[in-house]
Amino acid sequence: MKHAIINAEIYTGEEVLKHKVLLIADGKILGIADRLPASESDNSLASDWKIHDLKGENIAPGLIDIQINGGYSEYFTKDPGEKSLNDIDQACLDFGTLNHLTTLISSTTPVILQAIDAIRKYKTARPDSGLMGMHLEGPFFNPVKRGAHDAAIVREPTDKELQLIVEAGKDVIKIMTIAPEMFSFDQIKYLQDNGILLSAGHSNMDYEQAQVYFDKGIHLVTHLYNAMSSFAHRSPGLTGAALERKDVYTALILDGHHCHYGAARLAERLKGDKLFLVTDSSFLGRKMKSFHWGNFDAVLTDDTYRNKEGNLAGAAISLQEAVQNAIRELSVSQQQAIEMATSRVARAIGMQDQIGFIKKGYPARFFVFGDQLKDDNFTSLIL
């Protein structure tokens, strides 16, 4: 089936196009044209194209969330299996997130291996799902900045454990959030040489240490401001180093709880197109009011999740809401806000040749929305 999308403003990931036709076949984008193609048989307007009239709405690449913990009711780290992955996949789809990395928070080695196996099997069984792989967040953190992660599980890495995880996780683990200061330089290089993108987070590095690890190729920071050494005028910390470095991408949870909107505006001014959005949500849709499991607990409080100690325990926001907040609170354009959840994310994780743009050869997985996403006027479109 060939598809043509008409009467839409097209957010390509680089520009906004009007009065164009988006052409699709076999699940891939054929290109963007000035008009509908003529029929090959009689030179009239093509009758072999299925027309999708968006009636003035906007279309963008599917949103990309590289840090999502749960779906409507399932939490992946608690139950790392098909049921959780299906719940997360469906919830993301419902909110316009058509590509995501399911997050496994700090866990024992057997649970990490179980999660890797579950994701590999799910991707094999459902190659057209939005699941791209795993974001392994922990357990190799600085305990001072562990946040809501279990103190009994947070630990230093050993060469043996890293080798076991890497060998099992090939083509599944895409990102590891680590506290770099807990690793040797050889361990850092080993992970990088095996194609794992490293993100600095849950770290108490000072400014000078952060510069060293940035120079060694760590160009990504997990949830800016949260669970990292903070900025002070005599000790800028990891926060200050990340804000200053032009080659470092910074992820931001834009829900008004994980950081003040004033701090978010400052980050936007300093980072520009190196700032992008994640949710780090424990659950989507706010159906789960509380969650208790082992030493981990989360209660929906003031529109975010907190544990019994009052610490943040994951967000409740969808990526679509984060885009909405960017438009409203950061004073960025609608185009910039959409790119913060699409093309910027793709570039940050080195997948800009595969997702995040509306270009020839890219997957036909789209986010359709009204201006400023008012009244939750959005949907996912997969052709």
Side-chain angles (χ1 to χ4, degrees):
M1 173 69 73
K2 295 190 290 186
H3 302 266
I5 295 174
I6 63 173
N7 295 330
E9 290 197 11
I10 303 172
Y11 287 67
T12 68
E14 297 173 311
E15 60 184 337
V16 182
L17 300 177
K18 301 180 180 181
H19 312 300
K20 301 288 184 179
V21 178
L22 180 56
L23 303 175
I24 295 147
D26 301 322
K28 298 288 186 181
I29 297 170
L30 293 178
I32 300 172
D34 291 329
R35 60 185 64 85
L36 280 167
S39 170
E40 295 178 359
S41 58
D42 60 9
N43 206 36
S44 63
L45 272 183
S47 58
D48 51 349
W49 292 80
K50 182 176 180 179
I51 308 300
H52 303 264
D53 187 349
L54 295 194
K55 300 178 180 179
E57 290 197 317
N58 309 290
I59 188 167
L63 306 183
I64 308 167
D65 192 354
I66 64 167
Q67 193 170 7
I68 178 75
N69 299 286
Y72 288 124
S73 60
E74 301 296 323
Y75 195 84
F76 182 63
T77 307
K78 178 180 181 291
D79 294 303
E82 181 182 2
K83 183 179 179 182
S84 292
L85 291 171
N86 186 65
D87 183 43
I88 294 168
D89 207 22
Q90 186 59 56
C92 284
L93 178 66
D94 291 346
F95 283 99
T97 299
L98 300 185
N99 296 283
H100 69 272
L101 293 177
T102 295
T103 300
L104 186 81
I105 67 169
S106 297
S107 300
T108 63
T109 302
V111 171
I112 294 172
L113 299 180
Q114 179 186 349
I116 290 169
D117 185 59
I119 288 177
R120 178 175 285 114
K121 288 178 179 176
Y122 189 88
K123 283 170 58 65
T124 300
R126 298 186 56 183
D128 295 329
S129 79
L131 177 61
M132 301 185 296
M134 180 195 290
H135 180 161
L136 181 57
E137 187 188 5
F140 309 119
F141 289 161
N142 191 316
V144 174
K145 295 294 183 181
R146 65 180 176 84
H149 291 241
D150 190 343
I153 292 178
V154 169
R155 58 192 183 272
E156 291 187 20
T158 65
D159 292 349
K160 182 178 180 180
E161 185 176 15
L162 290 180
Q163 183 178 1
L164 188 62
I165 291 170
V166 166
E167 290 180 354
K170 289 186 184 298
D171 302 321
V172 171
I173 299 175
K174 304 298 183 182
I175 297 175
M176 282 180 64
T177 291
I178 65 170
E181 71 270 26
M182 308 301 289
F183 287 68
S184 70
F185 291 155
D186 286 343
Q187 289 173 331
I188 295 286
K189 187 174 186 300
Y190 172 71
L191 294 173
Q192 292 171 327
D193 287 348
N194 279 277
I196 294 176
L197 183 63
L198 299 180
S199 185
H202 291 270
S203 166
N204 204 36
M205 288 190 295
D206 61 24
Y207 173 90
E208 288 75 19
Q209 284 178 299
Q211 299 293 352
V212 170
Y213 286 102
F214 291 158
D215 288 342
K216 289 190 174 295
I218 297 178
H219 292 159
L220 185 62
V221 168
T222 293
H223 44 49
L224 181 66
Y225 297 121
N226 297 111
M228 65 178 63
S229 49
S230 58
F231 178 87
H233 66 294
R234 292 193 181 94
S235 53
L238 174 54
T239 299
L243 287 170
E244 182 188 41
R245 284 286 291 239
K246 300 298 184 184
D247 57 344
V248 170
Y249 283 90
T250 52
L252 193 68
I253 306 168
L254 197 61
D255 63 353
H257 299 281
H258 281 76
C259 72
H260 191 282
Y261 285 126
R265 285 189 287 271
L266 177 64
E268 194 280 324
R269 291 172 189 171
L270 291 173
K271 298 304 299 179
D273 64 4
K274 294 294 194 297
L275 184 73
F276 66 96
L277 301 172
V278 294
T279 66
D280 196 18
S281 284
S282 290
F283 300 96
L284 293 176
R286 299 174 179 83
K287 296 180 180 180
M288 286 291 289
K289 305 302 181 184
S290 63
F291 175 65
H292 300 272
W293 158 58
N295 293 327
F296 185 85
D297 66 288
V299 177
L300 188 60
T301 305
D302 296 329
D303 206 33
T304 193
Y305 288 98
R306 294 185 182 274
N307 66 13
K308 59 189 175 186
E309 298 169 345
N311 295 326
L312 290 164
I317 197 172
S318 68
L319 200 52
Q320 167 265 328
E321 290 172 295
V323 171
Q324 216 170 11
N325 288 342
I327 296 169
R328 184 179 62 249
E329 300 291 346
L330 303 190
S331 299
V332 299
S333 68
Q334 186 163 279
Q335 177 186 352
Q336 289 172 308
I338 290 293
E339 291 176 4
M340 290 172 76
T342 55
S343 55
R344 292 189 192 180
V345 190
R347 288 192 178 104
I349 62 175
M351 295 186 69
Q352 64 271 23
D353 293 333
Q354 302 172 54
I355 57 174
F357 294 85
I358 293 181
K359 288 182 179 180
K360 182 178 180 179
Y362 281 66
R365 301 169 67 87
F366 306 109
F367 178 59
V368 179
F369 61 101
D371 284 337
Q372 298 186 32
L373 291 89
K374 293 178 179 176
D375 302 320
D376 293 336
N377 181 20
F378 67 92
T379 188
S380 298
L381 178 62
I382 301 174
L383 296 174

